[in-house]
Amino acid sequence: FITKEHRIIIIGTTNLPDNTETKDIKDFFNKFIYIPTPDYQSRLLLWKHYVEQQLRKGLLKKEELTNGPSAATGDIYTNTKKPQEIIAQEQNIRKQVRTIMDKMDLSTLAHISDGYSAGSIARSVKTIITWRRVAQLRQRQLTAHDFIDALSTQDVVTQDVATAFRKYTRGITGLGKLYDDKGGAGKADKKGDKKGKK
C-alpha cells in the first residue's frame, strides 16, 4: 500500500496536446518539459553512435559464425583464446568500424533527418545494419543512401506540429505571457529594463 513515507513521481506524456484540457493538466502536474526533436549536431552524434553500435554487433556476429560462439564473447573464462588475442580481436573490430565510418557521409544523414526523433534514427539504423548486411560490406559498401528508404517509413515531426507543441508548452507553463513566436523575448527584456529604470 502507498503511505506518506512513499515518494511517487507521476509522469504524463502526450503527442496530441490539442486533445487535452489545459486547466486540468495544469492543476494535476507541477512541472512541464517540452522535448524537441534533435538539432543538427545532436543528429550527427546520434547517427554516429547508432551506426557504430550496429556495425560492432554485426562484426561480432560475423566473428561468432566464423569461429564459433566463444570467439566473439570476449570473455576470458569461456574463450579459448589468450587475453592478448582477445584484445587484438577487439582492436581489429574497432579498426574495421573506423574504416567503414570514415567512408560514411553522416553529415548528409544529419541534414535529411531534420524533424525525426532519436528513436526514428535508431530504428532506421537497426533496420539497415543487420549482421547479414555487415557480412556483405566487402561486396557492397555502406552509404548514406542505404538509410533513406528506412528513414522515410518513420514518423516525422513537421514544422507546423513542432510550432504547435511549443505554443502548447508556453501556454501550459505560463511562459506565453512573456514569450511568443514573434520575438516576445525582446519585449520581455524591454519590460525588465523599464522596471530597472524606475
Side-chain angles (χ1 to χ4, degrees):
F1 294 97
I2 298 175
T3 65
K4 292 181 179 180
E5 287 73 27
H6 289 92
R7 302 184 66 182
I8 300 174
I9 296 177
I10 298 177
I11 301 175
T13 63
T14 180
N15 62 349
L16 297 171
D18 292 339
N19 293 348
T20 63
E21 290 292 338
T22 303
K23 184 178 182 304
D24 293 340
I25 295 293
K26 290 176 72 172
D27 290 341
F28 189 81
F29 295 99
N30 59 2
K31 288 187 179 181
F32 304 93
I33 301 173
Y34 167 66
I35 303 176
T37 54
D39 59 13
Y40 171 79
Q41 289 297 333
S42 298
R43 294 194 302 274
L44 192 62
L45 292 174
L46 285 167
W47 279 107
K48 182 176 184 296
H49 169 74
Y50 288 120
V51 170
E52 286 182 345
Q53 184 182 71
Q54 285 301 111
L55 284 173
R56 176 177 168 74
K57 287 181 180 180
L59 289 169
L60 285 171
K61 181 70 175 179
K62 181 181 176 183
E63 183 75 16
E64 178 182 332
L65 293 173
T66 304
N67 302 315
S70 64
T73 61
D75 186 345
I76 62 174
Y77 298 104
T78 59
N79 201 321
T80 55
K81 290 183 177 182
K82 296 179 181 179
Q84 56 267 34
E85 291 177 321
I86 297 174
I87 294 173
Q89 179 192 51
E90 175 64 23
Q91 291 175 339
N92 180 49
I93 289 176
R94 289 181 181 179
K95 182 179 179 180
Q96 291 183 69
V97 171
R98 280 198 305 270
T99 300
I100 298 168
M101 294 299 294
D102 287 343
K103 298 176 182 178
M104 285 282 297
D105 185 4
L106 295 179
S107 179
T108 296
L109 287 173
H111 276 295
I112 66 175
S113 55
D114 185 18
Y116 288 89
S117 68
S120 295
I121 293 174
R123 287 188 292 272
S124 299
V125 173
K126 290 177 181 178
T127 298
I128 298 303
I129 306 182
T130 62
W131 71 267
R132 291 180 183 276
R133 181 66 179 86
V134 172
Q136 299 173 354
L137 286 176
R138 287 189 177 181
Q139 293 78 29
R140 187 158 60 96
Q141 183 179 321
L142 191 68
T143 66
H145 189 269
D146 293 325
F147 298 93
I148 294 176
D149 287 343
L151 188 65
S152 67
T153 64
Q154 302 297 323
D155 292 331
V156 61
V157 179
T158 64
Q159 191 60 44
D160 290 342
V161 173
T163 300
F165 267 108
R166 286 195 296 270
K167 184 177 179 181
Y168 171 77
T169 304
R170 288 172 179 172
I172 206 168
T173 57
L175 290 175
K177 296 177 182 179
L178 297 175
Y179 302 94
D180 58 41
D181 294 332
K182 295 181 179 179
K187 296 177 183 178
D189 291 340
K190 291 179 181 178
K191 186 183 290 185
D193 291 341
K194 290 180 179 178
K195 289 183 177 178
K197 290 179 180 178
K198 290 180 180 180

